[in-house]
């Protein structure tokens, strides 16, 4: 009997450890860690072709209007999950205004929920029209987001999320691609506690990435600021954000 209780305790502890790892609660992040993650994700881009554009900050300077477009055969649950995540963003990211609109023409952020068989067609016809080199670059990706921007900010983002390759991939893609489309466009394999790392185990919007996004949308920053001009502002921004993000 005692052995059975002990095994139950160990099992519960293991489950709790996994849950804490996925939410980021198992680690207290230092200022240096978070600023490092901010610089590695906010400047640069996972998808090539931006050149010097990676040297300045990009984010939406206007309210983000989401339209969620799904394949005819997409399960309603995939769309509901996406809507729930989008609906939480304005509560999780200070100073970010978000709404879900009813037509694609109204949107500046379109989320395409597609079956894997329709992935390349959507890349070609809806996201990278007229950009064959970039189409080839993302051919083997699991899901993606593309943002068009200038020093004035992100004008438009489009994410492609595959819904028929398992619940875990769906959840990760919803989280990662939508968040990246808001500004942290670069992945980095050294960020072990971030979803902005294709080798990490995370699927949810955990605290490390919430810190980065809240820093990005702090009112002391704006699109077009260079990496050099942003650096002196980051310690104070981090300290304020760290007090409010739980």
């Amino acid at each position: 009997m005692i052995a059975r209780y002990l095994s139950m305790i160990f099992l519960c502890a293991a489950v709790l450890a996994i849950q804490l790892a996925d939410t980021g609660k198992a680690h207290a992040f230092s200022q240096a860690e978070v600023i490092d993650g901010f610089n590695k994700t906010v400047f640069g881009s996972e998808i090539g072709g931006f050149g010097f554009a990676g040297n300045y900050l990009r984010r939406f300077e206007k309210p983000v209007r989401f339209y969620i477009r799904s394949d005819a055969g997409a399960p309603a649950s995939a769309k509901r999950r996406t809507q729930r995540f989008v609906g939480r963003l304005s509560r999780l990211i200070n100073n970010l205004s978000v709404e879900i609109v009813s037509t694609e023409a109204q949107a500046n952020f379109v989320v395409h929920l597609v079956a894997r068989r329709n992935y390349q067609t959507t890349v070609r016809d809806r996201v990278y029209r007229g950009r064959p080199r970039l189409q080839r670059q993302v051919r083997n990706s699991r899901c993606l987001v593309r943002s068009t921007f200038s020093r004035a900010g992100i004008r438009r983002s489009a994410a492609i999320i595959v819904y028929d390759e398992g619940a875990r991939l769906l959840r990760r893609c919803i989280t990662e691609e939508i968040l990246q489309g808001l500004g942290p466009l670069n992945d980095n394999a050294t960020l072990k506690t971030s979803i902005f790392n294709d080798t990490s185990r995370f699927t949810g919007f955990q605290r490390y990435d919430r810190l980065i996004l809240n820093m990005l949308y702090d009112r002391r920053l704006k699109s077009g600021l260079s990496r050099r001009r942003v650096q002196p502002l980051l310690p104070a921004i981090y300290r304020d954000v760290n007090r409010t993000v739980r």
Side-chain angles (χ1 to χ4, degrees):
M1 183 68 72
I2 293 174
R4 187 167 70 180
Y5 283 140
L6 287 173
S7 65
M8 288 293 293
I9 291 169
F10 289 138
L11 177 61
C12 290
V15 170
L16 179 60
I18 292 169
Q19 290 173 339
L20 289 175
D22 197 44
T23 59
K25 293 179 182 176
H27 186 84
F29 305 110
S30 70
Q31 174 178 301
E33 284 179 296
V34 177
I35 289 176
D36 179 60
F38 180 93
N39 285 321
K40 285 176 176 175
T41 58
V42 168
F43 299 103
S45 177
E46 177 184 7
I47 298 173
F50 292 104
F52 69 90
N55 295 324
Y56 62 80
L57 186 145
R58 296 88 33 117
R59 70 181 189 187
F60 279 95
E61 297 294 343
K62 296 180 179 180
V64 188
R65 301 181 303 278
F66 281 89
Y67 177 74
I68 301 167
R69 173 190 169 272
S70 54
D71 282 356
S77 59
K79 188 169 185 178
R80 286 196 302 270
R81 180 183 285 275
T82 308
Q83 289 171 328
R84 284 197 301 269
F85 181 72
V86 170
R88 294 171 56 227
L89 290 175
S90 58
R91 298 194 302 274
L92 294 171
I93 304 172
N94 293 328
N95 308 313
L96 180 69
S97 176
V98 168
E99 64 176 315
I100 297 176
V101 296
S102 56
T103 68
E104 189 168 347
Q106 297 172 288
N108 54 10
F109 199 134
V110 179
V111 180
H112 302 273
L113 294 172
V114 303
R116 175 58 68 185
R117 67 179 181 276
N118 297 328
Y119 183 84
Q120 287 302 326
T121 302
T122 307
V123 169
R124 184 190 67 221
D125 296 343
R126 291 184 171 271
V127 177
Y128 283 107
R129 292 187 293 264
R131 305 292 296 273
R133 183 177 67 82
L134 292 180
Q135 289 176 31
R136 291 192 296 271
Q137 190 173 339
V138 301
R139 182 172 295 153
N140 297 319
S141 57
R142 297 179 300 175
C143 45
L144 66 85
V145 67
R146 181 195 182 193
S147 296
T148 56
F149 54 83
S150 67
R151 289 187 179 275
I154 296 175
R155 295 188 297 273
R156 187 175 181 85
S157 289
I160 304 180
I161 294 167
V162 173
Y163 63 75
D164 61 349
E165 292 187 338
R168 184 176 178 83
L169 181 62
L170 174 63
R171 184 178 180 220
R172 179 182 175 100
C173 286
I174 289 171
T175 305
E176 181 180 13
E177 305 309 334
I178 289 176
L179 293 179
Q180 285 200 302
L182 296 175
L185 288 166
N186 201 31
D187 267 17
N188 191 289
T190 68
L191 300 179
K192 304 302 183 185
T193 54
S194 175
I195 201 169
F196 306 132
N197 170 5
D198 286 340
T199 65
S200 76
R201 64 191 179 280
F202 301 109
T203 62
F205 190 13
Q206 43 82 38
R207 187 171 186 267
Y208 185 83
D209 295 325
R210 293 205 309 275
L211 290 168
I212 290 173
L213 266 296
N214 276 275
M215 289 175 66
L216 176 60
Y217 278 86
D218 187 274
R219 291 194 174 98
R220 284 162 284 191
L221 300 181
K222 63 179 180 179
S223 293
L225 287 178
S226 68
R227 182 193 292 256
R228 178 181 58 81
R229 290 186 61 191
V230 165
Q231 299 312 304
L233 304 175
L234 294 181
I237 293 174
Y238 163 80
R239 289 192 293 271
D240 291 343
V241 165
N242 191 49
R243 284 194 291 267
T244 59
V245 173
R246 293 290 178 259

